[in-house]
Amino acid sequence: MDPQIEQWQQAFKANTPKVDTEALIQRTRRARQKMKWKAFADVAGAVTVTLFVLYTLIFDVQSTGQFILIACLLPVPLAFTVWSFRLRHKQWTMQTADVNSMLNFEKNALHKQVHYWKVSFIACAVMWLGLLLLAIINITLYATWTLWLTQLLANAVVVLGAGWRYRYLKKALPDKLKRIDEVS
Amino acid sequence: MKAPDITRLLRDFALLIARVAATYEKDTALQEDLIQDISLLVWRALDSTEGSKNQFREESTLKTYIARIAHNRAVDHVIKEQRRHATSKEYDESSDTFSTPANSHEQVLDLMSGLHKLKINYRQVIALQLEGFSFPEIATTLGLSEDAVAQRASRAKQQLAKLMNRS
């Protein structure tokens, strides 16, 4: 072996930080337990919500409209649980992958985040325009100014919020990608 | 893998994990957090493996696997810290002002000081080399080709020697 590397190797190992291994194992064991309980609570929460929606659908529905609405809501908590489980699994896989794959995953996630907020902003804006159309019709026909103006203003805050988040993330993206490139 | 096996392995590899953390983070408090994070990830990873005999036939395979998780988490930590200090540039400045106490460990601290000043892609390779990993093992850990590892190792060595001679 290269004598220079061998010399550095000795120095490197001599400089190992002091670690209380037993305390570290105890803390890690507790953190792992906490993590397991959190995962269990997430699944239990999703199952409870699904069962509640199912109960309402079977015993509490009073009209066809309500039945359709609740039947449409039923898959939402399940789909959300499956989606979050898959996302966590993917993130977890990346944490045990090689460094390059993890960095590519992070870059991809940053692009997806910007895309998600772009789509959210467009969807919110389209819905706001629909609301505006309804407001114009209702105000013209029934002069319900206060109701519709309040709704328009409240929803405009959501649209502006999504727009601001999209612009902020898009602007910050090149810097974030550059930082990842610097370590890869 | 069962909990007693995992604790035994953590005991065996705690110093390796600590050295990886020290290579990427010099703030003692953050270093401790990083050691804890890496240990938790290692625990979780080993917990989800079927058994040491099946998955890790050799000690070196297990060591490479743990080093891969440790470096992966440490690089992620650096990216997050850089993001956190993006406005104040505190992180970069602190990286260049590692104190060098004048005592018997001066040479040792010079090495760590030099390591902290290296670019991360060079630091990764040389830290793994100093840990005793071969080029193919480093290539597996970092997801690079062996040629790329050899090239980086040579440049890292040159730069580290230059930095240490300067100090």
Side-chain angles (χ1 to χ4, degrees):
Chain A
M1 188 193 270
D2 183 333
Q4 174 79 89
I5 294 284
E6 210 167 339
Q7 194 193 344
W8 284 345
Q9 215 167 43
Q10 284 166 8
F12 184 62
K13 291 198 174 163
N15 196 44
T16 304
K18 281 189 184 124
V19 186
D20 182 345
T21 317
E22 293 313 311
L24 175 71
I25 289 171
Q26 286 309 316
R27 283 200 307 273
T28 310
R29 192 194 296 273
R30 277 198 298 272
R32 176 74 183 125
Q33 207 58 38
K34 211 170 152 186
M35 199 188 248
K36 275 185 174 174
W37 276 110
K38 202 175 166 291
F40 176 75
D42 283 355
V43 174
V47 170
T48 311
V49 172
T50 309
L51 286 177
F52 177 73
V53 178
L54 200 63
Y55 175 87
T56 313
L57 184 73
I58 297 168
F59 299 108
D60 270 358
V61 165
Q62 284 158 3
S63 66
T64 315
Q66 271 187 0
F67 183 86
I68 293 168
L69 181 70
I70 294 172
C72 288
L73 283 175
L74 185 63
V76 173
L78 274 178
F80 180 75
T81 309
V82 172
W83 172 78
S84 59
F85 175 79
R86 286 182 64 177
L87 184 71
R88 274 188 212 159
H89 183 72
K90 180 84 182 158
Q91 282 170 339
W92 162 243
T93 313
M94 280 303 123
Q95 284 177 322
T96 57
D98 63 76
V99 175
N100 237 10
S101 304
M102 182 272 290
L103 292 174
N104 284 333
F105 175 78
E106 292 236 340
K107 279 202 259 185
N108 204 14
L110 287 172
H111 281 292
K112 273 186 184 166
Q113 191 187 32
V114 174
H115 182 71
Y116 166 82
W117 279 101
K118 184 183 177 180
V119 171
S120 297
F121 169 60
I122 293 170
C124 287
V126 168
M127 282 196 283
W128 190 84
L129 286 173
L131 193 70
L132 178 70
L133 194 69
L134 274 176
I136 292 169
I137 295 167
N138 274 278
I139 290 168
T140 316
L141 291 176
Y142 310 109
T144 47
W145 283 92
T146 321
L147 174 75
W148 286 100
L149 279 182
T150 313
Q151 289 215 34
L152 281 174
L153 273 174
N155 284 288
V157 174
V158 178
V159 177
L160 288 174
W164 175 84
R165 185 78 185 142
Y166 165 58
R167 272 197 65 177
Y168 172 80
L169 289 172
K170 196 183 168 192
K171 201 178 160 193
L173 184 67
D175 242 22
K176 287 181 181 173
L177 292 175
K178 196 178 148 205
R179 259 181 241 130
I180 293 178
D181 284 336
E182 279 169 2
V183 298
S184 58
Chain B
M1 200 178 279
K2 287 176 182 166
D5 294 330
I6 298 174
T7 50
R8 183 177 52 78
L9 287 172
L10 264 189
R11 216 169 272 132
D12 291 348
F13 290 105
L15 296 183
L16 180 143
I17 292 171
R19 281 194 290 274
V20 173
T23 305
Y24 289 90
E25 178 58 69
K26 61 187 177 183
D27 179 289
T28 321
L30 291 175
Q31 212 177 80
E32 278 176 20
D33 288 348
L34 186 55
I35 292 171
Q36 174 73 67
D37 281 356
I38 295 170
S39 303
L40 182 60
L41 281 179
V42 168
W43 187 304
R44 199 181 156 191
L46 296 175
D47 207 4
S48 54
T49 57
E50 284 180 9
S52 54
K53 280 178 194 165
N54 295 338
Q55 190 156 354
F56 308 108
R57 287 190 179 86
E58 294 167 25
E59 170 85 359
S60 66
T61 322
L62 180 61
K63 192 179 170 190
T64 312
Y65 183 61
I66 291 175
R68 192 170 76 188
I69 295 174
H71 276 267
N72 182 322
R73 179 67 192 92
V75 169
D76 197 37
H77 166 86
V78 170
I79 295 170
K80 284 182 180 135
E81 280 301 302
Q82 281 179 341
R83 247 178 239 167
R84 203 159 66 87
H85 296 290
T87 44
S88 63
K89 292 188 177 172
E90 188 186 322
Y91 193 84
D92 290 336
E93 280 166 19
S94 70
S95 296
D96 290 330
T97 53
F98 191 79
S99 59
T100 312
N103 58 25
S104 58
H105 296 295
E106 198 166 317
Q107 192 198 347
V108 172
L109 289 168
D110 271 345
L111 173 73
M112 293 312 285
S113 175
L115 273 176
H116 285 134
K117 283 178 182 173
L118 275 182
K119 273 180 76 181
I120 287 199
N121 48 8
Y122 292 150
R123 204 189 308 175
Q124 287 170 339
V125 174
I126 203 133
L128 285 160
Q129 229 184 331
L130 296 181
E131 203 54 68
F133 287 101
S134 63
F135 282 176
E137 287 170 333
I138 298 174
T140 309
T141 305
L142 302 178
L144 298 170
S145 68
E146 278 184 49
D147 287 345
V149 170
Q151 204 175 39
R152 282 192 192 184
S154 158
R155 284 185 192 157
K157 192 190 150 197
Q158 276 175 13
Q159 287 198 10
L160 185 59
K162 207 169 153 187
L163 282 165
M164 287 174 69
N165 288 336
R166 201 190 292 163
S167 61

